[in-house]
Amino acid sequence: MKAYSIDAKKQELKEIDIDMQPNTVYSFFNSILIDELDSLEHHTIHSDAEALLKKQKVYFIGEQLVVGDALIVGKDGILEVDTTIPQEELKALISYDVPKFYLDALALLQTTDINLYKNFEIKKEEEIIPLSAEWVLYVFNMADERTKEFFLGELKKAVDAQDNILLHIQKMAVLALQAGA
């Protein structure tokens, strides 16, 4: 099966041919904890869920924050298929230019057990909204410098106090939603 691999450290995109078996993705990352990101149309971006803890490089595929190496396969419904995006088009979507806010926030979060992509739910009025830590970082990255400093300061306090970081991120998500209301 045609797939792509991204070596985050070397900043290298390669087309690869893999034999997709039930354990292929786990073997690729040598890990049983895998994140599956569906932000690339008709494709799945697989990454090691422990990449942040392992202090691996971060980058973007479009607006999707990715930590560490990635394996990209095509997706047709629930089936994994050959990738269909041309390599040059995918390469154009990859950016290793990560804003300082992200780098600072991730440096703090890498000492925790947070999963950037795992959804949690926030209730706004009568609506239940699924969000993730990655979304919270995305929103605060767009804020003014003072708000970014507030976020990073509060995150540092929470990390230093060994607070429940997921609860802290959820509180920040509520603030972000209230600011957007």
Side-chain angles (χ1 to χ4, degrees):
M1 168 187 301
K2 176 184 166 186
Y4 293 116
S5 69
I6 298 175
D7 182 321
K9 195 174 195 177
K10 294 180 183 176
Q11 298 184 358
E12 184 177 78
L13 171 66
K14 286 185 191 173
E15 181 179 316
I16 59 174
D17 186 38
I18 59 173
D19 181 22
M20 223 35 186
Q21 299 294 323
N23 66 343
T24 300
V25 174
Y26 305 108
S27 298
F28 183 86
F29 294 104
N30 198 23
S31 175
I32 59 168
L33 299 173
I34 304 298
D35 285 318
E36 292 183 4
L37 312 171
D38 294 323
S39 56
L40 191 59
E41 190 174 19
H42 304 298
H43 290 80
T44 300
I45 303 167
H46 298 280
S47 65
D48 181 352
E50 295 181 315
L52 181 62
L53 186 62
K54 295 174 183 174
K55 301 178 182 176
Q56 294 184 358
K57 286 218 170 254
V58 297
Y59 55 98
F60 291 96
I61 300 177
E63 292 186 357
Q64 175 69 63
L65 178 69
V66 181
V67 182
D69 297 343
L71 175 66
I72 301 169
V73 296
K75 185 175 179 180
D76 183 11
I78 61 169
L79 299 175
E80 292 180 326
V81 297
D82 287 338
T83 58
T84 56
I85 186 170
Q87 187 170 357
E88 287 305 311
E89 187 177 325
L90 178 57
K91 190 174 186 174
L93 291 174
I94 299 171
S95 173
Y96 297 98
D97 184 23
V98 178
K100 184 178 181 331
F101 170 79
Y102 274 103
L103 298 175
D104 292 346
L106 293 171
L108 291 167
L109 290 173
Q110 70 190 10
T111 64
T112 72
D113 63 353
I114 191 116
N115 181 302
L116 295 175
Y117 312 107
K118 186 175 180 184
N119 281 345
F120 53 84
E121 295 179 340
I122 299 294
K123 187 174 182 180
K124 183 178 179 187
E125 296 167 16
E126 296 303 312
E127 184 181 4
I128 302 291
I129 304 169
L131 301 172
S132 67
E134 187 227 1
W135 178 85
V136 173
L137 293 178
Y138 174 80
V139 170
F140 275 91
N141 181 61
M142 293 187 302
D144 60 44
E145 288 306 313
R146 191 167 158 204
T147 303
K148 288 178 188 178
E149 288 172 15
F150 165 78
F151 178 89
L152 292 171
E154 292 300 306
L155 179 58
K156 182 170 179 16
K157 287 179 199 173
V159 169
D160 289 347
Q162 297 181 345
D163 290 345
N164 182 322
I165 298 303
L166 179 58
L167 286 177
H168 176 77
I169 293 294
Q170 289 173 337
K171 289 176 192 174
M172 291 292 132
V174 169
L175 289 177
L177 286 173
Q178 288 173 346

